[in-house]
Amino acid sequence: MNLTDRARNLVTDTDARLKQRLGRITFRAWRRGFREADLVLGPFVDQVGPSLDEGELDCLEFLLAEDDDHRLYAWIIGTEPTPAEHDTAVMTKLRTFMRDHVAAAVAEGAG
């Protein structure tokens, strides 16, 4: 196998691992157990997840590991202070998405 083939295989393997990782993250985002969190986290991962880099995906997975969905949602909407370990660029993107997502839903007649 030449260098080009090895590089192509490495890219293919990396893409497959990333798709698998995003699949796991998507499952966790849509099945939180608290509908309001599902309706923010699920679409966020669907729409923004593929553009996140490895470090941001790490932050997102760490955030999704939180057990208390009500607190997690409160951090997203800003009704409770976000702990320092979760006050990341991903949380900023999530809050921006939340504002845009809700504004779009309201504009379409939801709520």
Side-chain angles (χ1 to χ4, degrees):
M1 183 181 302
N2 64 36
L3 186 58
T4 303
D5 290 337
R6 284 190 295 208
R8 189 174 294 121
N9 287 341
L10 180 61
V11 169
T12 301
D13 290 347
T14 301
D15 288 346
R17 282 194 308 273
L18 181 59
K19 284 180 183 178
Q20 186 178 38
R21 185 178 187 189
L22 277 172
R24 286 191 308 270
I25 291 170
T26 300
F27 182 85
R28 292 175 67 198
W30 275 105
R31 288 161 185 85
R32 299 295 306 170
F34 179 56
R35 192 69 181 144
E36 288 83 350
D38 292 349
L39 292 174
V40 175
L41 293 165
F44 175 78
V45 171
D46 288 349
Q47 295 175 36
V48 180
S51 69
L52 299 177
D53 65 30
E54 292 284 333
E56 290 171 322
L57 289 174
D58 291 343
C59 290
L60 182 56
E61 284 181 313
F62 183 54
L63 185 65
L64 292 174
E66 284 294 325
D67 288 335
D68 189 338
D69 293 328
H70 294 274
R71 288 190 60 215
L72 172 58
Y73 185 72
W75 300 337
I76 295 168
I77 64 172
T79 57
E80 283 190 27
T82 304
E85 65 268 19
H86 292 301
D87 199 9
T88 65
V90 170
M91 182 59 81
T92 300
K93 288 179 181 188
L94 190 50
R95 286 184 182 125
T96 300
F97 179 84
M98 169 71 180
R99 283 190 301 271
D100 295 348
H101 181 69
V102 168
V106 169
E108 292 176 7

